[in-house]
Amino acid sequence: MVAPIVKKPAKKTASSANSMWGGQFSVAPDDLLAKINVSISFDKQLYRQDIRGSIAHAKMLGKQKIISAGDVKAIVAGLDGILKDIDAGRFEFKDSLEDIHMNVEAALKERIGDAAGRLHTARSRNDQVATGFRLYVRDAVDALDGALKELQKALIARAEENVSTLMPGFTHLQAAQPVTLGHHLLAYVEMFGRDRGRAADARARMNESPLGAAALAGTSFPIDREFTAKEMGFDRAMGNSLDAVSARDFALEFLAFGSICAVHLSRLAEEMVNWSSAQFGFIRFSDAWSTGSSIMPQKRNPDAAELVRGKSGRMFGNLVSLLATMKALPLAYNKDMQEDKEPVFDTVANLMVCVMAMTGMVKDFTVNKEAMAVAASQAYSNATDLADWLVRELKMPFRDAHHVTAKLVKLASGKKKMLEELSLKDLQTVEPRLRQEVFACLPPLKSAESRKSFGGTAPGNVKKAAADARKRFL
């Protein structure tokens, strides 16, 4: 048999390659190279920041008389039009143009002609990418700060409603001492406050402009980097051109902030999962924040809390992913760094939805005060109060008081009674000097009210702490 004739695919010419690369290439890249190289599917999220950086660059080129005022006007108008088209969903993103930067530049050329080609004077895609990415991360920090502030506001409001609501405080997930729900919720206000502080610190460090560093060595054109920095709201221009195009520590620091914040969200989510269970019964979510079961009609599942808890893992992974990408890269730009954006985009999206979901859950749940109060009185959670009474009233060394109280707990446990249910005669079998007055310190509310030290759970403290948190964070 004669072998079938297989036609070889026509060789791609340079005209089918990305025309932005210049005249050195006579053949287009292999399809697989093109596929692995293209990033427009995800970096189109940077369109606002890319256009903002290009407008600042064009204005600077005009100010420095590197390009004409007419070209600046045409470039700015063209970029404004592209921005409006993308916002309206009228813009066609093309894989053949690789990334957001080339897509915008090509569209600009279609609109205004040769003037578009002058926009790239004195810059490279390297500093262009770094600038747009910094602007994006900075915008994300600002948006997340606002969302975290709303979460703190919700937590403070619920704390103020529950200044005196008793619940068990836990160590090792074992009932330890009575606290108030307001005090417990304010702990998370402090955590999210530190998260906002970390984000603010990261923002201050990232607020330097890479634009004008060009490919890696700067440019021979008489540019004004401080002008473009101020146009984009940066504090200053970055001081080293190699560092400007190759640094991604701003993204790593953002991902570190995101991971720590995700830990705090996950911890609160875990508490909500526990508290809303039948075994705890401390809180109940409304139908709006509960889901059902496909087979068990009685179920009310806290899926939102579980997803917040679950999404923390992927955010940790995003941090590790970028750390691994950057750890062995020599200066300056390397194509590996195209992998910097998807982890950041993913963390921005997931952290925002988690913060907003947590805010919704905090506002939504109703509190079963009776169940919390009963739990606060169980497991001898007032034992420390008894030990403190022995120290305070009998001048007993705390270690001795601890030993005496442990014996009393053992006695009560053997009689299947709480400490406050023992008779004075029972108590005196262990410590003869105990008096009737000791019973006044044993009710859970008295225990909580006695914790008046700064930062303690006493209702008066909680009320003051909530007011202070409003001043500090809102």
Side-chain angles (χ1 to χ4, degrees), residues 189-436:
V189 173
E190 296 293 332
M191 291 184 204
F192 294 127
R194 290 193 295 274
D195 289 332
R196 290 177 66 192
R198 271 182 282 272
D201 290 344
R203 191 191 193 284
R205 273 183 289 278
M206 76 177 67
N207 205 34
E208 298 180 332
S209 173
L211 194 58
L216 74 162
T219 177
S220 60
F221 289 95
I223 61 174
D224 185 346
R225 292 189 63 207
E226 290 302 323
F227 175 85
T228 52
K230 298 302 180 186
E231 278 287 301
M232 293 180 287
F234 287 114
D235 294 330
R236 63 191 70 82
M238 294 183 74
N240 183 286
S241 60
L242 284 166
D243 178 49
V245 298
S246 61
R248 291 297 184 271
D249 53 340
F250 69 93
L252 289 167
E253 194 167 7
F254 170 79
L255 292 174
F257 142 73
S259 294
I260 296 170
C261 185
V263 168
H264 295 153
L265 289 165
S266 183
R267 294 183 73 180
L268 181 52
E270 168 71 4
E271 306 227 66
M272 289 183 168
V273 170
N274 288 336
W275 293 351
S276 63
S277 69
Q279 289 71 25
F280 277 75
F282 288 179
I283 64 172
R284 179 182 173 89
F285 290 113
S286 73
D287 291 355
W289 286 97
S290 302
T291 61
S293 164
S294 64
I295 191 172
M296 295 169 285
Q298 83 282 8
K299 293 294 293 298
R300 295 178 65 85
N301 297 325
D303 280 11
E306 291 173 2
L307 285 166
V308 168
R309 186 178 61 187
K311 284 179 179 293
S312 63
R314 70 189 289 166
M315 288 185 260
F316 307 158
N318 289 335
L319 172 58
V320 173
S321 170
L322 188 53
L323 284 168
T325 297
M326 297 301 300
K327 73 177 182 63
L329 295 187
L331 298 180
Y333 182 81
N334 298 270
K335 194 66 173 181
D336 314 48
M337 291 161 68
Q338 183 168 290
E339 296 297 306
D340 59 358
K341 294 170 193 64
E342 287 182 285
V344 171
F345 293 161
D346 187 77
T347 288
V348 170
N350 282 285
L351 189 57
M352 180 60 79
V353 75
C354 286
V355 172
M356 294 175 70
M358 185 58 71
T359 303
M361 286 185 283
V362 168
K363 290 179 178 179
D364 179 81
F365 69 74
T366 55
V367 179
N368 186 337
K369 294 185 179 183
E370 183 179 353
M372 282 192 167
V374 169
S377 67
Q378 293 175 343
Y380 306 102
S381 62
N382 53 0
T384 305
D385 299 278
L386 176 54
D388 287 348
W389 189 92
L390 293 170
V391 171
R392 193 166 49 248
E393 300 297 326
L394 302 185
K395 310 304 179 188
M396 190 180 290
F398 182 79
R399 286 300 171 199
D400 293 344
H402 185 285
H403 184 69
V404 168
T405 302
K407 285 186 173 183
L408 288 168
V409 168
K410 185 177 181 179
L411 174 66
S413 178
K415 290 178 174 286
K416 294 183 168 39
K417 293 182 177 181
M418 304 305 295
L419 284 171
E420 60 270 28
E421 293 173 337
L422 293 173
S423 68
L424 179 60
K425 187 176 291 187
D426 288 333
L427 298 178
Q428 289 175 338
T429 61
V430 175
E431 173 49 64
R433 291 179 294 167
L434 278 164
R435 305 188 300 270
Q436 187 68 33

Side-chain angles (χ1 to χ4, degrees), residues 20 82 97 101-111 116:
M20 304 296 174
I82 292 170
L97 294 170
H101 317 291
M102 291 304 148
N103 268 265
V104 170
E105 186 173 328
L108 185 64
K109 185 174 182 180
E110 289 178 5
R111 291 175 188 232

